[in-house]
Amino acid sequence: MKITNILITGKIYKELEEIMEREGYEELRGKQLRFRAEGEVTEDDLEWSEAFVSFRPTPNFYFGKNLKWVHSLGAGVDRYMSLGIWKQGIPLTRTVCSFGERISEYSLSYVLRDLQFHETFAQHQAVKQWNEFTPIPLKEIRLIVFGTGEIGHEVARAFSSFGVKVYGVSLSGKQKSHFEKVIGRENLSRDFLQGADYIINTLPLTSYTDKLFGEEFFNELKNAVFINCGRGASVDHSALRKALDNGNLKSAVLDVFEVEPLPTTDPLWDNPKVTITPHISAVTTPEEAVACFVDTLSNIEGNRELENEVDLTKEF
Ligand code: GLV
């Protein structure tokens, strides 16, 4: 496939323009590039472009007559999927880059915060108290990772390298390296969930994962820690608060929310058992965005297999 006209939009379009100009990529020679703020994308831009590059469709997005390829600057493609109908034959690719590593490090930092009693020791230091608590080794915990794709698999690799027993939940239940065991989503059982000390969600938002983590799910847990790096809409907040109150959950670390920024009126802000971070567990840096885009462009034009192509027929 040959691509000449490329429309680049989204919140980092200026940075992408600077990097592309500065680096003078061979792959971009002879290409026509339009860089636009989201609100400035016109119908003419949409009709003109053969490639549409952005975190999400612009509010006026439609499949223009020349469009051949859509590339997401983020890993999550829910906003593209929620367009409803996808035009046949147009590949949708995404940017995953270092997301697996970033989400692993984010999660590991909060797991270690608990196991090494960081907060307890900080409180004791404030009152000059010498209280011994023995840190809990990582290899003693049982972790369940929801999603065994590129990101979930990297999380399993990172944690298992410290001896953590990592269990996975996926659509297919296909076994993968670094997981003790992967189960299909329909085989989730009370026994499986009750043994979990930590749960990390890396799943995309689909009709199946919408409010997947609700009352029924939390009721099966016993004093577990829930870390959400997937999408906020996968969690029912009132069920989460209840689970924190009744001990099904010990604590929650939330990086993603259905409404972002999380409204200041949301009771989660004041809940001492909740840690809130502003959707930073996996950020696409402009450098990584450009590298992934240029690489994908070269694969598209070389008719090579696209490892980062989204399977539009698959949900979770
Ligand atoms: C981040 O959440 C992304 O989807 O890129």
Side-chain angles (χ1 to χ4, degrees):
M1 184 189 301
K2 181 102 187 76
I3 302 281
T4 304
N5 298 346
I6 301 170
L7 174 61
I8 299 179
T9 176
K11 59 181 188 240
I12 55 172
Y13 77 99
K14 277 220 170 81
E15 287 96 323
L16 302 188
E17 181 171 14
E18 273 167 34
I19 296 171
M20 288 184 196
E21 271 179 13
R22 191 176 69 221
E23 301 294 328
Y25 287 93
E26 177 70 31
E27 292 88 341
L28 296 178
R29 214 160 275 163
K31 307 292 182 209
Q32 301 291 321
L33 299 162
R34 285 187 188 175
F35 295 91
R36 300 270 189 268
E38 274 185 316
E40 286 168 6
V41 171
T42 62
E43 205 176 308
D44 177 64
D45 292 327
L46 294 172
E47 287 295 340
W48 167 86
S49 56
E50 293 167 328
F52 177 89
V53 180
S54 183
F55 285 98
R56 57 185 180 189
T58 47
N60 63 347
F61 179 85
Y62 64 91
F63 293 88
K65 65 173 181 302
N66 288 312
L67 194 66
K68 296 181 187 166
W69 166 41
V70 175
H71 179 69
S72 166
L73 292 172
V77 292
D78 42 295
R79 287 152 308 185
Y80 284 106
M81 301 293 253
S82 64
L83 285 171
I85 301 163
W86 195 261
K87 195 166 160 203
Q88 283 271 312
I90 309 255
L92 170 64
T93 53
R94 66 187 188 125
T95 307
V96 182
C97 47
S98 60
F99 278 20
E101 289 154 37
R102 287 173 187 272
I103 288 179
S104 300
E105 289 178 23
Y106 172 92
S107 306
L108 195 52
S109 74
Y110 287 104
V111 171
L112 286 172
R113 177 186 68 169
D114 273 0
L115 301 180
Q116 295 285 334
F117 299 104
H118 287 187
E119 288 185 341
T120 310
F121 291 133
Q123 283 159 10
H124 293 174
Q125 183 174 349
V127 289
K128 302 190 173 133
Q129 254 183 28
W130 183 276
N131 284 336
E132 289 166 31
F133 285 85
T134 308
I136 300 161
L138 276 165
K139 65 171 192 260
E140 287 181 15
I141 65 165
R142 180 181 153 114
L143 166 68
I144 298 181
V145 180
F146 277 76
T148 62
E150 226 170 305
I151 295 172
H153 193 220
E154 178 57 27
V155 172
R157 194 201 59 73
F159 276 83
S160 64
S161 73
F162 289 100
V164 177
K165 286 176 201 64
V166 188
Y167 294 80
V169 182
S170 72
L171 173 63
S172 66
K174 200 169 126 204
Q175 300 311 305
K176 288 210 169 165
S177 55
H178 308 302
F179 287 97
E180 296 283 317
K181 190 176 178 185
V182 176
I183 63 155
R185 69 185 195 197
E186 72 286 356
N187 292 330
L188 264 184
S189 63
R190 166 166 296 188
D191 284 352
F192 182 80
L193 288 174
Q194 274 192 348
D197 300 303
Y198 290 84
I199 292 167
I200 301 176
N201 176 39
T202 70
L203 288 171
L205 181 63
T206 65
S207 54
Y208 174 74
T209 66
D210 195 1
K211 304 288 175 295
L212 171 66
F213 304 103
E215 196 158 337
E216 212 183 309
F217 171 82
F218 291 125
N219 277 345
E220 304 296 0
L221 303 177
K222 266 198 205 146
N223 206 33
V225 176
F226 178 71
I227 302 177
N228 191 15
C229 297
R231 282 289 182 256
S234 293
V235 182
D236 174 344
H237 275 189
S238 78
L240 177 98
R241 287 200 306 273
K242 220 160 146 196
L244 288 163
D245 286 345
N246 65 20
N248 291 116
L249 281 181
K250 182 162 112 186
S251 62
V253 178
L254 308 173
D255 184 50
V256 284
F257 301 88
E258 194 158 7
V259 178
E260 294 180 358
L262 182 67
T264 50
T265 49
D266 196 298
L268 284 179
W269 283 110
D270 298 315
N271 193 320
K273 293 182 181 170
V274 176
T275 299
I276 291 169
T277 56
H279 201 144
I280 44 70
S281 63
V283 170
T284 309
T285 63
E287 289 74 17
E288 284 185 317
V290 172
C292 176
F293 163 70
V294 169
D295 195 42
T296 311
L297 172 66
S298 147
N299 287 335
I300 288 246
E301 294 205 299
N303 296 318
R304 287 186 289 276
E305 201 192 327
L306 301 171
E307 274 180 17
N308 56 340
E309 182 169 1
V310 177
D311 181 350
L312 292 157
T313 61
K314 202 171 110 183
E315 283 237 299
F316 146 59

